[in-house]
């Protein structure tokens, strides 16, 4: 079966997109980033937890929800 990409959010400058990747057959969801122009994808958070719902601030900070502690909490990616 196929993997799932969801919740895409552009950075304020429009050059990158943060999104959630659910790899079929693996536990959790990964927080990913792709450079729009170069197409470079990188994994930001892949710890087996459900890391999802990325949101970008105007100051280019990335926030996301994760259940890594057993309940959903809000985190900032630095």
């Amino acid at each position: 079966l196929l993997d799932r990409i969801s919740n895409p959010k552009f950075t304020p400058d429009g050059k990158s997109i943060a999104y959630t990747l659910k790899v079929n057959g693996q536990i959790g969801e990964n927080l990913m980033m792709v450079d729009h122009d170069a197409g470079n994808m990188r994994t930001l958070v892949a710890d087996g937890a459900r890391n999802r719902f990325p949101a970008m601030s105007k100051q280019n900070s990335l926030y996301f929800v994760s259940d890594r502690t057993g309940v959903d909490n809000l985190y900032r990616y630095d």
Side-chain angles (χ1 to χ4, degrees):
L1 297 175
L2 303 175
D3 299 339
R4 182 188 76 230
I5 293 175
S6 57
N7 302 304
K9 300 294 180 209
F10 281 88
T11 56
D13 62 10
K15 294 183 179 182
S16 298
I17 304 168
Y19 60 94
T20 300
L21 172 64
K22 170 62 176 139
V23 177
N24 189 42
Q26 291 184 7
I27 296 173
E29 296 177 59
N30 301 335
L31 191 63
M32 308 289 290
M33 180 79 73
V34 64
D35 180 278
H36 185 265
D37 295 332
N40 299 329
M41 292 189 305
R42 60 189 165 116
T43 303
L44 303 178
V45 181
D47 57 6
R50 294 174 58 213
N51 304 292
R52 58 208 190 283
F53 307 121
M56 300 297 302
S57 73
K58 291 181 182 178
Q59 295 76 27
N60 219 28
S61 292
L62 174 62
Y63 295 88
F64 65 100
V65 173
S66 179
D67 68 351
R68 66 177 64 164
T69 64
V71 296
D72 285 346
N73 286 292
L74 182 65
Y75 294 88
R76 184 178 74 198
Y77 179 83
D78 290 317

